[in-house]
Amino acid sequence: MSFRSLTLKPGRLLATIHETAQLFGPKGVWGPESTQTGVCRLSLSDLDKGVRDWFIKETENLGCEVKVDEIGNIFAIYPGKNPDAKPTAIGSHLDTQPTGGRYDGVLGVLSGLEVLRTIKENGFVPNYPIALINWTNEEGARFPMSIMASSVWAENIPLQQAYKLESVTDTDPVSVEHELKRIGYLGPVKASYKTNPIAAHFEIHIEQGPVLEDEERKIGIVTGVQAYSWYKVRVFGKASHTGTTPLLARSDALLAASKLIVKGNELAKKHNCLFTVGVLNLNPAVVNVIPEFVEFIIDVRNPTDEGLTKILADIKETFPIIAKESGKKLAVEFELIYTSDAVKFHPDCISSVRDSAISIVGESKVREMQSGAGHDSCATNSRVPTSMIFIPSKDGVSHSPEEYSSPEDVHIGFEVLLNAVLQYDSFRKV
């Protein structure tokens, strides 16, 4: 049987997306229909445990061998004709942002599940095993490090560094290690590409931007991902009474932080970069006390490593100067959270995606593009051939309850993924 003759079940993938959204963390109503909510399913929360348990049950029912590693990544391995070979992987994540939508990484995992369901129902046996992976804490929302567990697996960051990360969304912060143990997902398998290898990695995702929709394209052939870096910036000032301290005598940490954020945006325009502050905390948070401490996290992105290096150098040079000019007792401190270098995906995987996409929607409906956001594929690409598939996002909206991709686009994306993975399986030699 040729994989191109497989019988599909249109609509089942979308139904599964909506089912898991309703069961595990619906939040943020944006329309009258039951499916018109977002999802809040933070990494290693009780809701995350629930969807993980569901995922394992579903994949075991398909005949998969399920392995959980020591950072909580779940590998569901469907058998192939060469059972001892490294599996071809489909991977993404089931965790969401606090204001997340129904698609984001969830589309990637559940599209992979639909691939396994389809080949099982058709009696199709791939040449090599296929691993469906749920990577832990891709979002970095609860624990502030994006693509955390895939980076541990790739040995790009130490396991203990990830274990020690503390949550930023809980009143009483807890560590990654604590929560893995609490929900029962600190697995026995070593988190390493060396001891738990895969041969290649494919990931389907919503674009999270407006380009495909604006250009009326159906599929984005993702050739790489831009570089980005996250830093904590701490501003130290002096607390004082708001009614008795003259403006010129103040060392207002929040005022200085505001100037730094504005400067960051100016530098982004200068260097053709992106600069964002999405987290800001101050102390003391009292109406009549001048803030003495502010901490905020900057997210800086550029298509090239060189461009990212230049803007970060400018930030580190100018921020202390601005702080000093804003008050005698003001100082700035930087702490690196994470840097992801610019990524170029593997030509063989890109070719499989391209051929699959063109065969399904035609050349005029596909577009090669670079991802603006980081994904687990950034980490896997450092160790194995990798590529990604994008489908359109309505109005370019993501990380919002109103995140939406049409039923047609969801199904087309699944077809492209299915064909790309099985085409890669057909010409793999090892």
Side-chain angles (χ1 to χ4, degrees), residues 274-286:
L274 297 173
F275 175 96
T276 307
V277 173
V279 174
L280 185 147
N281 299 296
L282 69 148
N283 185 60
V286 179

Side-chain angles (χ1 to χ4, degrees), residues 78-305:
Y78 190 88
K81 295 175 183 175
N82 298 285
D84 296 328
K86 299 175 185 178
T88 302
I90 303 169
S92 201
H93 59 97
L94 292 169
D95 68 312
T96 76
Q97 291 285 333
T99 56
R102 293 184 168 224
Y103 301 88
D104 203 325
V106 174
L107 172 74
V109 177
L110 298 187
S111 293
L113 179 63
E114 188 65 18
V115 168
L116 300 187
R117 286 172 170 172
T118 300
I119 62 176
K120 173 77 169 180
E121 290 169 351
N122 282 268
F124 181 86
V125 182
N127 292 319
Y128 300 93
I130 297 176
L132 176 56
I133 306 172
N134 173 43
W135 299 105
T136 300
N137 192 42
E138 188 276 349
E139 290 292 0
R142 187 182 184 204
F143 301 98
M145 179 184 289
S146 65
I147 62 173
M148 179 195 77
S150 52
S151 296
V152 172
W153 173 87
E155 297 189 8
N156 293 334
I157 65 167
L159 175 65
Q160 292 301 321
Q161 180 183 346
Y163 274 168
K164 292 176 183 177
L165 277 174
E166 291 196 336
S167 58
V168 295
T169 55
D170 299 306
T171 303
D172 297 316
V174 289
S175 71
V176 166
E177 184 176 21
H178 177 277
E179 291 298 87
L180 283 168
K181 291 177 179 177
R182 184 184 70 82
I183 69 169
Y185 274 90
L186 199 161
V189 176
K190 186 170 178 60
S192 169
Y193 73 96
K194 296 173 183 174
T195 55
N196 187 26
I198 59 177
H201 187 268
F202 289 85
E203 182 173 8
I204 185 170
H205 209 280
I206 58 172
E207 181 196 347
Q208 301 181 286
V211 175
L212 292 175
E213 183 180 58
D214 288 350
E215 295 185 2
E216 298 183 348
R217 312 286 183 122
K218 287 297 184 182
I219 292 292
I221 302 163
V222 188
T223 58
V225 182
Q226 69 179 341
Y228 69 95
S229 191
W230 291 2
Y231 273 86
K232 280 185 182 179
V233 181
R234 299 185 180 94
V235 184
F236 301 90
K238 178 68 177 177
S240 188
H241 196 294
T242 60
T244 61
T245 310
L247 290 177
L248 293 178
R250 298 183 179 194
S251 292
D252 186 333
L254 182 57
L255 178 61
S258 302
K259 293 178 181 179
L260 301 182
I261 293 169
V262 170
K263 185 62 176 180
N265 277 272
E266 292 174 357
L267 293 174
K269 293 176 183 177
K270 171 187 172 183
H271 291 281
N272 193 29
C273 292
L274 297 173
F275 175 96
T276 307
V277 173
V279 174
L280 185 147
N281 299 296
L282 69 148
N283 185 60
V286 179
V287 172
N288 60 346
V289 179
I290 297 166
E292 68 175 356
F293 175 76
V294 173
E295 179 181 86
F296 58 94
I297 298 177
I298 62 173
D299 177 322
V300 187
R301 302 181 186 236
N302 188 272
T304 69
D305 296 333

